[in-house]
Amino acid sequence: MHLRPVGADALLLEVDSPLDWFAALDAERSAGRLAVVDIVPGARTVLLDGVPDPAALAARLRDLAIDPAAVPHSPPLVLDVVFDGVDLPFVADHAGSSVAEVVAALTGTELTVAFCGFAPGFAYLRGLPWSVPRRPTPRTRVPAGSVALAAEFAGIYPTPSPGGWHIVGHSDAELFSVDRTPPALLTPGRTVRFRAA
């Protein structure tokens, strides 16, 4: 673990397993043993924001042991997906598989929300059996609900936006709503399974 101060009241942890650290730190906060405003996991980091005493917390974190086996796991959230994406043939060719085999792999794999970003409700889902390069030229508009792949991640676009990921299907899941707590359907650490609709 490597710790870096960020501004006057935040710490950035560079760690090997950000989700395990996120879960453990969130449990510490829920139990009242960690005073921070926000805990934000990234691909290789965890940001602790709103830290009253960053130096004291840094010293405490160096002694904190993280046990991945102790991280609670909820049942996967099943999302219906229509696999009709324009880039399915490219993904199949890149994976050395047929379109049917790609769909079987996507529906047979449990994915995990590694972190969120890009847009409210957009989750980076890790666990794909292969990696897919980003498109050489991003699309200027990707429809809301598009299920897409890039690098080692899958994601679902919550709103229409530009995007450089390969579209493999679409889902009607409401990924973000200000009337829900939490507003995002997919939060870090959540497991997800796609079901062919």
Side-chain angles (χ1 to χ4, degrees):
M1 172 180 57
H2 186 73
L3 294 168
R4 295 177 187 271
V6 178
D9 62 354
L11 284 174
L12 185 68
L13 288 69
E14 295 176 0
V15 291
D16 291 332
S17 52
L19 275 182
D20 294 340
W21 277 90
F22 168 77
L25 294 169
D26 192 47
E28 288 288 299
R29 179 176 59 176
S30 297
R33 295 187 295 265
L34 180 64
V36 298
V37 173
D38 206 0
I39 305 170
V40 183
R44 293 169 191 84
T45 60
V46 178
L47 176 71
L48 300 175
D49 194 19
V51 178
D53 187 346
L57 180 57
R60 182 175 162 213
L61 289 175
R62 286 188 179 90
D63 295 328
L64 187 63
I66 300 298
D67 179 8
V71 175
H73 293 283
S74 59
L77 174 66
V78 177
L79 297 177
D80 288 328
V81 175
V82 177
F83 288 97
D84 59 354
V86 295
D87 299 319
L88 255 176
F90 169 83
V91 172
D93 185 58
H94 181 77
S97 303
S98 68
V99 167
E101 288 169 330
V102 167
V103 171
L106 291 171
T107 56
T109 301
E110 189 171 286
L111 303 170
T112 303
V113 178
F115 55 94
C116 299
F118 172 63
F122 189 92
Y124 290 77
L125 303 168
R126 181 174 280 152
L128 292 176
W130 11 250
S131 179
V132 181
R134 290 177 57 89
R135 289 175 47 82
T137 304
R139 292 181 170 95
T140 56
R141 185 178 187 280
V142 175
S146 293
V147 177
L149 313 176
E152 70 269 30
F153 299 109
I156 306 173
Y157 286 78
T159 55
S161 67
W165 292 28
H166 295 281
I167 299 172
V168 295
H170 70 274
S171 174
D172 292 332
E174 184 179 27
L175 300 171
F176 189 84
S177 171
V178 295
D179 298 323
R180 184 172 55 209
T181 303
L185 178 64
L186 304 176
T187 54
R190 186 73 194 255
T191 55
V192 176
R193 288 192 84 94
F194 292 150
R195 178 172 59 194

